[in-house]
Amino acid sequence: MTQILHADKTGVTRAAALLRDGALVAFGTETVYGLGADATNAQAVAAIFHAKNRPRFNPLICHYPSADRAFHDVLANPQARHVAEAFWPGPLTLVLPRRSDCPVALLTGAGLDTLAVRVPGHPDALALLRAAARPIAAPSANRSGQVSPTSAQHVLDGLQGRIAAVLDSGPCRVGVESTVLDLSGLAPVLLRAGGVSVEDLVACIGPIQRGGAHDAAGITLRSPGLMVSHYAPGLPVRLNAATVAAEEALLAFGPVLPGARCLFQLSPSGDTTEAAARLFEGLRWLDAEGGRLGAGGIAVMPIPDGGLGLAINDRLRRAAAPRGG
């Protein structure tokens, strides 16, 4: 059963301890309730996708108690510092390049070299983030495709028994998701309208481009979501491999195919949650190590669609998609 915790000192302390232990805890913000996990723990982040039945690994927003803490993990340009000073804490998410020493798990950012960060404008959320003392990844606390929750009961309606606890902060004040602003490129790009108006952002930093490209499911390509071949490995990827050629590196799942001289094991036991937690690390490692050893490609063993397998295979199909064009 999912615990219901009151948003007092005792409840916040308990919720923070659960997060540090790798459990999932929903908590209220000024926008909607988020489904929180330790963003530095790939296994905990994988559990978010499992709990939500999320069919693809979209980037998740990392929540911090202050701008200073957020900017320890991402590279903040002057525009980012300016809008952070104006709108944080508050319903604004910034997409910025990851720092080279960023401790956030690659799965949290869907393997991208950018990270979505925000400082929520709710005292209970800020208290939880301070007590947890680590970045907390938190998409909306609902099953994938359902309406975002604005109360603890909404969370329980969809996730009862699938998460450890809900920190009940009462109804959300804003009730719509945060605005997402990409400041990782040459010009600011609005990726999602939300709790901070475009007019207020333009008044703060000047003209903003609109992110208009979506994939077939209507997902914004930059964040959250991925282009078909976005950030694919440099080596070509071959899916559903029953054998591995001498010139191929191997992304293994379960019992290893014979003949692999460069391999990365996603899960010896064939556990899709463990595999999801290791997927982006594995692709990057094989790309680098396989390239160093002269491998001509990456062979990927079959992964069933059960559990998080559907999301893993979605990402692998994107990695294997034809390049260019």
Side-chain angles (χ1 to χ4, degrees):
M1 291 290 291
T2 298
Q3 301 177 51
I4 302 176
L5 304 173
H6 297 293
D8 53 19
K9 184 176 181 179
T10 300
V12 168
T13 299
R14 174 61 178 158
L18 287 168
L19 288 168
R20 288 194 298 271
D21 287 342
L24 301 184
V25 176
F27 61 97
T29 73
E30 78 279 22
T31 57
V32 298
Y33 272 72
L35 180 55
D38 177 357
T40 69
N41 181 339
Q43 193 81 12
V45 174
I48 289 178
F49 292 95
H50 181 72
K52 286 175 65 71
N53 282 345
R54 200 163 186 164
R56 56 166 56 98
F57 295 131
N58 293 334
L60 304 180
I61 296 171
C62 285
H63 295 69
Y64 295 83
S66 69
D68 285 344
R69 292 307 309 158
F71 295 156
H72 270 88
D73 291 347
V74 292
L75 294 169
N77 55 32
Q79 282 185 322
R81 294 187 181 279
H82 191 43
V83 293
E85 184 176 356
F87 299 107
W88 279 355
L92 175 67
T93 294
L94 300 180
V95 177
L96 293 163
R98 292 172 62 112
R99 289 186 179 272
S100 59
D101 59 350
C102 177
V104 173
L106 287 171
L107 181 60
T108 305
L112 301 175
D113 291 330
T114 54
L115 199 62
V117 299
R118 97 171 178 105
V119 178
H122 193 294
D124 296 336
L126 292 173
L128 176 62
L129 293 167
R130 287 191 292 268
R134 60 200 62 191
I136 300 301
S140 57
N142 57 282
R143 296 287 193 99
S144 185
Q146 294 184 355
V147 177
S148 296
T150 56
S151 72
Q153 186 57 52
H154 293 163
V155 176
L156 293 172
D157 289 344
L159 297 176
Q160 173 70 267
R162 300 178 68 87
I163 64 177
V166 180
L167 186 66
D168 188 352
S169 301
C172 299
R173 174 175 57 84
V174 176
V176 295
E177 287 85 353
S178 62
T179 301
V180 180
L181 181 67
D182 185 355
L183 295 178
S184 65
L186 296 177
V189 179
L190 180 72
L191 299 180
R192 182 177 74 187
V196 172
S197 73
V198 179
E199 291 79 9
D200 285 345
L201 288 172
V202 170
C204 183
I205 59 171
I208 296 173
Q209 298 179 7
R210 304 296 180 96
H214 294 76
D215 70 7
I219 303 299
T220 305
L221 296 179
R222 190 73 178 96
S223 172
L226 300 167
M227 296 196 309
V228 170
S229 187
H230 198 48
Y231 285 90
L235 294 175
V237 174
R238 180 170 67 90
L239 303 180
N240 298 315
T243 60
V244 56
E247 69 277 6
E248 287 182 313
L250 178 66
L251 189 64
F253 180 80
V256 176
L257 294 174
R261 62 190 182 96
C262 176
L263 71 91
F264 187 96
Q265 175 62 267
L266 291 176
S267 174
S269 64
D271 182 278
T272 57
T273 300
E274 180 183 18
R278 292 170 57 78
L279 176 62
F280 293 108
E281 177 191 358
L283 287 173
R284 291 192 178 213
W285 188 87
L286 287 176
D287 200 29
E289 188 66 11
R292 186 183 69 81
L293 295 174
I298 298 172
V300 181
M301 292 178 61
I303 297 173
D305 279 339
L308 288 183
L310 188 66
I312 293 170
N313 286 322
D314 171 81
R315 182 60 183 90
L316 288 171
R317 281 191 294 272
R318 294 164 184 266
R323 313 297 168 84

